[in-house]
Amino acid sequence: MWAYEHGVVTKASPGAVWGCYEDPAVWPEWDEELRELQLDGPFGAGVTGTMHLHGRPPLAFAVVEAAERQGLSTETALADGTVVRFVHRLAERADGGTRIVHRVELEGPSAGESLGGQIAGPVPDAMRRLAAVAEARGG
């Protein structure tokens, strides 16, 4: 398994950050890699969907865990059997803000620095934008 983790602190409450996750229309505001996110049902554990990335073919994914104001995890199976997992954790801070931690995990034949680095590379910028969007939405 290959893994990468990055955290950021925001003044936004866990509820405001959670709102950025549960509304698929907001995801492209904080994830520049994403053109559109479509879900096959209401946001929550068990829902599946499609990520439409700029310049890449669509990717199917599943929300495997979702706990309001606490976090979520998604999984995407690649053609070679490698599974890409994004784990998003929210922790409320004493000042009412939130510590957001995103973890990228790869398991399977392509798990390694080459693919992992490509996938995880945009995470720090995306997390800064997520914090800013959550603050702007009433954090």
Side-chain angles (χ1 to χ4, degrees):
M1 178 169 74
W2 181 93
Y4 169 83
E5 188 170 289
H6 184 79
V8 67
V9 172
T10 177
K11 296 175 191 172
S13 69
V17 178
W18 182 257
C20 294
Y21 289 136
E22 69 181 353
D23 182 352
V26 175
W27 285 49
E29 291 181 31
W30 57 269
D31 185 345
E32 288 185 341
E33 302 285 311
L34 192 60
R35 183 173 43 83
E36 180 183 20
L37 182 78
Q38 296 174 320
L39 299 177
D40 297 333
F43 184 82
V47 71
T48 59
T50 305
M51 293 180 282
H52 298 273
L53 305 167
H54 294 285
R56 298 187 200 162
L59 284 172
F61 74 99
V63 177
V64 295
E65 173 196 16
E68 187 173 349
R69 301 173 49 96
Q70 296 176 23
L72 65 116
S73 61
T74 65
E75 290 185 354
T76 299
L78 303 180
D80 72 351
T82 300
V83 174
V84 179
R85 184 175 303 109
F86 282 92
V87 180
H88 311 253
R89 294 288 173 246
L90 306 177
E92 187 167 8
R93 296 170 38 91
D95 63 4
T98 306
R99 176 154 176 79
I100 309 167
V101 176
H102 284 209
R103 181 175 172 87
V104 180
E105 301 175 349
L106 277 70
E107 289 188 48
S110 296
E113 186 63 36
S114 178
L115 179 60
Q118 289 176 8
I119 293 171
V123 167
D125 288 337
M127 291 185 59
R128 282 190 288 278
R129 285 189 300 275
L130 173 59
V133 169
E135 289 175 17
R137 290 173 53 98

